[in-house]
């Protein structure tokens, strides 16, 4: 099955990416940089706080409420930044599939060759006699990374998978 080659709009995204990045950089430079810890109080329902404390406990002895809140805020910021069109992101796509499923291996291979300039690395694990797990690292603008991931996830025979984005711009 033929797959579309990297679309010409990639160039447009790249241009937008620069515009977005420089605007963000300008905004960042105006913000006073400090590592001083600021205190603020947070109100939340008791049951939510109890669930949160369990999360803090699961994250280990080295973590306390403040540190877990900082982690969550950083995660949310990374997620938000990586959804901005044109941002340079790294995506980690994990998929599980049955390698006996018709010509699935060939199809997955073809997609990765079509986008060879975005596919950084692929790790293949033979889980059992039928099942394969693949971790594909994809680099590029948000939309392109999501398009490639959706193409792979949407290939018939891919049982499940998930794309995790990290902003690198
Ligand atoms: Ni395998």
């Amino acid at each position: 099955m033929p797959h579309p080659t990297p679309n010409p709009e990639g160039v447009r995204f790249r241009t937008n990416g620069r515009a977005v990045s420089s605007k963000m950089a300008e905004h960042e430079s105006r913000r006073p940089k400090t590592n001083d810890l600021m205190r603020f109080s947070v109100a939340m329902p008791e049951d939510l706080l109890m669930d949160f404390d369990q999360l803090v406990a699961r994250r280990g002895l080295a973590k306390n409420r403040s540190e877990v809140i900082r982690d969550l805020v950083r995660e949310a910021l990374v997620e938000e930044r990586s959804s901005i069109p044109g941002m340079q992101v790294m995506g980690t796509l994990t998929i599980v599939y049955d390698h006996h499923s018709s010509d699935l291996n060939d199809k997955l291979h073809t997609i990765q060759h079509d986008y060879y300039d975005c596919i950084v690395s692929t790790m293949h694990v033979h889980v059992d006699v039928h099942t394969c797990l693949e971790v594909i690292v994809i680099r590029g603008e948000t939309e392109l990374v999501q398009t490639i991931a959706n193409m792979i996830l949407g290939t018939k025979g891919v049982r499940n998978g998930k794309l995790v984005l990290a902003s690198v711009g």
Side-chain angles (χ1 to χ4, degrees), residues 9 14 42 51 92 99:
E9 290 196 326
R14 236 157 249 145
V42 176
D51 287 347
T92 312
H99 75 109

Side-chain angles (χ1 to χ4, degrees), residues 4-120:
T5 48
N7 73 47
E9 290 196 326
V11 175
R12 184 171 61 81
F13 294 151
R14 236 157 249 145
T15 312
N16 283 349
R18 277 200 204 102
V20 169
S21 305
S22 64
K23 209 177 284 173
M24 289 195 72
E26 204 184 295
H27 175 74
E28 293 285 312
S29 68
R30 277 202 303 266
R31 199 197 294 171
K33 295 269 181 208
T34 171
N35 285 323
D36 293 345
L37 294 174
M38 310 291 288
R39 286 190 181 278
F40 67 102
S41 56
V42 176
M44 66 170 79
E46 193 178 355
D47 56 346
L48 184 61
L49 181 59
M50 283 168 68
D51 287 347
F52 177 65
D53 281 341
Q54 286 177 6
L55 173 73
V56 174
R58 281 195 298 273
R59 292 209 173 180
L61 287 175
K63 294 284 180 178
N64 56 36
R65 279 180 181 167
S66 289
E67 285 183 30
V68 174
I69 285 179
R70 287 197 288 271
D71 289 348
L72 294 174
V73 170
R74 286 190 198 102
E75 279 167 31
L77 288 171
V78 165
E79 196 174 309
E80 205 230 22
R81 277 180 63 112
S82 56
S83 66
I84 298 171
M87 284 296 285
Q88 278 289 332
V89 294
M90 295 284 288
T92 312
L93 176 65
T94 304
I95 54 166
V96 175
Y97 64 93
D98 184 338
H99 75 109
H100 293 120
S101 177
S102 63
D103 53 350
L104 181 56
N105 263 329
D106 278 351
K107 285 181 182 167
L108 294 175
H109 218 86
T110 304
I111 296 172
Q112 295 185 52
H113 276 280
D114 283 348
Y115 293 93
Y116 68 89
D117 52 345
C118 299
I119 306 292
V120 179

